[in-house]
Amino acid sequence: MRRWAKRIGLALLVFVAVVTAAAAIYDGVSAGGVSARTLYAGPYAQVDGRALAYRHWGTRGSPIVLIGGFLEASDVWREVGPLLGRTHRVYAVDLPPFGYSERKGPFTLDTWIAEVEGFERALRIARPTLVGHSLGAAVIVGEALRRPQMLRGIVLLDGDALRGSAVPGWVASLAVDPYFTAVYRVLTGWDWIFRKGLKDAYGPNAPALTSAELDRWERPFRVAGTADAFKQMLPLGIQGYTLADLRRARGVRIVVAWGAHDTADSVSAGRTSAVALRAPFVVLPRAAHLSMLVDPRGVARAVERVAGQG
């Protein structure tokens, strides 16, 4: 029996050694990431020693700053931005480590809030309307709690701004190389994964998921430093606030808008946050989680309820 135990133990050691070697070889021969500026020419704003990628539309009217959610580049606002840009100066910023902003941590809610405030200072944006999608909703609530007098208003879009459960420590401990990097590169280059996730996020009115559309979502994962950034974020879980925190929001106009078919963040969760914020709740009948891409006109109308006509 002892002899068999030794053989099994030896076999396991050999298996681990082979898998480790294979992962290390894969890491070495697969793409290790490229400069963000190779993939996106700009514009960029320098904020607290970080290069933040952004897009903008419009040349007149009151300012609007659009902030995407988890895994989202500012390109997700490509339909809403031009609509609002008819009567507003509109900016969409990439929160690192998403999109094409520099992968320089820490990647925490406090840092993201500071980066958005710094972005406003860098571009001399005064009293903006902030629109936060999904994870971005927590960022704009944070700014509203810190300095409501500096904002025109906020719009939570498919994001309840609430804190989620932390990732168990044993899960975070599994994020070790060479395994983590190998798994990351496989998953972020696998069209099937993106096609499945996007179908759910777009909902019943999803567009055709062409190769070009998939590439829009996959390309930012090639930016150097992204895998390491995700590794840093893993133990933090879903960052946000409590309902008690939301009830403290005062002195700023608020609207909560939600896709009726959203399964990533439930409609009931949106209603709960709207009640805590004492804000009107707008349902977008055609949309799911990616409401800004499925119903850009509906989203633009919801934003105008806070921003006004220029």
Side-chain angles (χ1 to χ4, degrees):
M1 181 66 100
R2 197 173 292 173
R3 185 173 55 190
W4 279 106
K6 287 183 178 180
R7 288 181 179 177
I8 292 172
L10 179 60
L12 287 173
L13 286 174
V14 170
F15 175 77
V16 170
V18 169
V19 170
T20 300
I25 292 170
Y26 179 80
D27 289 352
V29 301
S30 62
V34 297
S35 166
R37 293 177 188 267
T38 302
L39 300 171
Y40 178 65
Y44 287 86
Q46 290 295 322
V47 177
D48 296 331
R50 298 173 177 85
L52 299 187
Y54 71 98
R55 300 166 197 263
H56 63 91
W57 303 268
T59 58
R60 60 188 176 88
S62 65
I64 297 172
V65 178
L66 308 172
I67 302 164
F70 187 67
L71 306 183
E72 295 174 0
S74 53
D75 180 60
V76 297
W77 303 104
R78 62 185 178 272
E79 303 291 342
V80 172
L83 293 174
L84 293 171
R86 295 171 182 173
T87 52
H88 296 275
R89 290 173 290 122
V90 184
Y91 307 84
V93 61
D94 289 353
L95 285 182
F98 314 124
Y100 301 99
S101 288
E102 185 178 0
R103 285 13 180 189
K104 186 176 180 181
F107 307 104
T108 64
L109 182 55
D110 284 344
T111 302
W112 291 328
I113 295 168
E115 286 172 337
V116 172
E117 292 175 354
F119 178 78
E120 294 164 21
R121 289 192 299 271
L123 274 68
R124 299 181 181 179
I125 300 170
R127 293 198 73 242
T129 296
L130 301 182
V131 183
H133 180 252
S134 195
L135 174 65
V139 177
I140 66 170
V141 165
E143 188 165 348
L145 289 170
R146 285 166 59 156
R147 50 175 209 155
Q149 71 281 0
M150 304 300 291
L151 303 177
R152 190 180 184 98
I154 63 173
V155 179
L156 284 70
L157 184 62
D158 299 297
D160 59 18
L162 297 179
R163 182 184 308 137
S165 300
V167 175
W170 67 268
V171 174
S173 68
L174 296 178
V176 294
D177 281 328
Y179 312 106
F180 180 85
T181 300
V183 171
Y184 169 84
R185 290 177 183 168
V186 169
L187 294 180
T188 57
W190 191 359
D191 284 357
W192 182 87
I193 291 286
F194 282 86
R195 195 179 299 277
K196 175 93 169 55
L198 287 172
K199 280 183 178 179
D200 292 339
Y202 273 117
N205 295 299
L209 295 177
T210 62
S211 296
E213 176 65 11
L214 293 175
D215 186 63
R216 285 181 186 269
W217 292 89
E218 294 177 19
R219 194 182 311 131
F221 290 96
R222 303 173 198 151
V223 175
T226 308
D228 286 339
F230 283 1
K231 197 184 302 182
Q232 293 177 46
M233 290 177 61
L234 185 59
L236 301 176
I238 299 173
Q239 302 178 63
Y241 295 95
T242 65
L243 286 174
D245 292 326
L246 267 56
R247 294 186 188 103
R248 292 192 292 107
R250 294 283 193 280
V252 62
R253 287 183 286 181
I254 305 174
V255 164
V256 179
W258 220 269
H261 303 284
D262 193 339
T263 56
D265 292 296
S266 70
V267 175
S268 62
R271 290 189 188 277
T272 298
S273 288
V275 170
L277 291 163
R278 298 170 301 282
F281 187 72
V282 178
V283 176
L284 304 168
R286 296 186 61 253
H289 191 61
L290 291 174
S291 53
M292 74 285 270
L293 290 169
V294 174
D295 187 8
R297 294 186 182 279
V299 170
R301 285 193 296 269
V303 175
E304 292 284 14
R305 291 181 62 163
V306 172
Q309 296 294 323

